[in-house]
Amino acid sequence: MSAVQFSTKRMKYDTANSDIVKLFDGFRDELDRRNDKFERIVKVSRDITIQSKRVIFNLHRKPAGCQAGERELESILEDATEKLTALRVHFKKISKELEGEDTHRFHRAFTNGVQEFIEALSFLYLLQNNCIISPSQVEKHLNGCPLLMSDYIAGLADLTGEIMRMCICFAGKNCHSEAIRLRDLLFQINTGIRLCNVSGRGMSQKEEVMLQSLIKCEASNYKLVIRQLEKESMCRDKGL
């Protein structure tokens, strides 16, 4: 092989090799871009999770009992509403990050924040309206951030833990009607979610926790009924 032929062959090889390197450089840049975007969304989602947990904690401070203080209750609900409304800015950031992207590719980055927000929002909505918030109503608060049905159902599954705590609290204060109402609501949510047969990440564990919450509510209501029967029996024995 002459020097000219060798040089020509080497140039072709270098050119081909250069094209492959450029191709993989493009892959690297695209992966770096997606990873950076994923991390930015995770950070925003973490902020949403933290604030939502604070709202849930504050909502549990509401007066519990058959004769709850209206003024204090309104103050707590207004504060929770303001804090959840302020999170619209965070959801807008996620929405902008997802523009032109496959939502499912980044779902794992924001699902925890959305689920925690739905838990807080549905808890607030329950205290204000005595019913469960719908997916369309949740979407109005997400400011363009996509709502997957699996996230909505997971958020409601987490809500059952808060309902269980309220139910036990009311039962402990002898508010039988409220305790029964919450027990029935928890049963309906539990049944509905199981009928949906959602197979998302962690749903089997959430379903088990829901069942345990329902069992605890049943036990607290059972004890309340027993106490009332014992009290009535003692009153009859004393002729009261």
Side-chain angles (χ1 to χ4, degrees):
M1 181 184 296
S2 66
V4 175
Q5 290 176 327
F6 179 80
S7 177
T8 302
K9 188 174 182 180
R10 180 61 183 270
M11 287 176 63
K12 291 181 178 179
Y13 174 80
D14 290 343
T15 301
N17 190 49
S18 176
D19 291 339
I20 294 175
V21 170
K22 289 180 180 178
L23 180 64
F24 277 91
D25 283 345
F27 292 157
R28 179 200 61 203
D29 294 341
E30 177 64 17
L31 287 173
D32 288 343
R33 184 189 69 81
R34 289 181 180 176
N35 288 335
D36 291 342
K37 181 176 295 233
F38 190 94
E39 290 302 320
R40 289 195 300 270
I41 295 175
V42 167
K43 290 178 181 178
V44 177
S45 177
R46 190 178 297 122
D47 292 338
I48 294 172
T49 300
I50 293 171
Q51 188 69 351
S52 297
K53 286 183 180 294
R54 288 173 179 166
V55 170
I56 293 171
F57 177 79
N58 288 336
L59 288 175
H60 275 296
R61 292 172 47 231
K62 84 174 194 66
C66 302
Q67 311 245 337
E70 289 295 328
R71 184 173 299 178
E72 185 180 355
L73 176 59
E74 287 180 8
S75 175
I76 292 173
L77 295 181
E78 287 177 5
D79 180 66
T81 301
E82 290 177 3
K83 289 180 178 178
L84 291 181
T85 301
L87 291 178
R88 289 176 60 88
V89 177
H90 293 71
F91 284 115
K92 191 63 179 178
K93 290 179 181 179
I94 295 178
S95 176
K96 288 183 177 180
E97 291 285 3
L98 293 176
E99 288 179 358
E101 300 284 359
D102 181 1
T103 299
H104 295 277
R105 190 187 298 273
F106 295 93
H107 178 237
R108 195 160 53 89
F110 64 86
T111 179
N112 291 336
V114 171
Q115 289 181 28
E116 197 70 35
F117 176 80
I118 292 173
E119 180 183 358
L121 180 63
S122 58
F123 191 20
L124 173 62
Y125 192 85
L126 175 63
L127 296 177
Q128 291 174 326
N129 304 282
N130 289 323
C131 60
I132 298 301
I133 193 169
S134 67
S136 60
Q137 290 169 319
V138 172
E139 283 184 314
K140 294 177 182 178
H141 292 80
L142 297 184
N143 208 12
C145 179
L147 174 63
L148 277 68
M149 191 54 60
S150 59
D151 287 340
Y152 170 74
I153 292 176
L156 291 188
D158 292 334
L159 172 65
T160 58
E162 316 310 330
I163 295 176
M164 178 268 295
R165 293 180 182 89
M166 288 179 59
C167 179
I168 292 176
C169 185
F170 277 118
K173 294 181 180 293
N174 292 324
C175 297
H176 192 206
S177 60
E178 282 297 314
I180 290 294
R181 182 182 68 84
L182 291 171
R183 188 281 313 270
D184 292 343
L185 177 62
L186 197 155
F187 179 80
Q188 293 171 4
I189 296 174
N190 182 43
T191 302
I193 289 178
R194 290 182 183 278
L195 288 175
C196 290
N197 194 26
V198 178
S199 58
R201 190 165 60 109
M203 273 307 300
S204 59
Q205 183 179 357
K206 290 180 184 293
E207 289 179 356
E208 179 62 28
V209 172
M210 278 194 301
L211 180 60
Q212 293 302 318
S213 295
L214 183 58
I215 292 173
K216 290 177 182 178
C217 285
E218 291 283 7
S220 65
N221 278 281
Y222 176 78
K223 292 176 182 178
L224 176 57
V225 172
I226 293 298
R227 287 200 304 269
Q228 289 179 335
L229 292 175
E230 289 176 346
K231 184 177 179 180
E232 291 174 2
S233 177
M234 289 176 63
C235 289
R236 283 196 303 267
D237 292 342
K238 293 179 180 180
L240 299 177

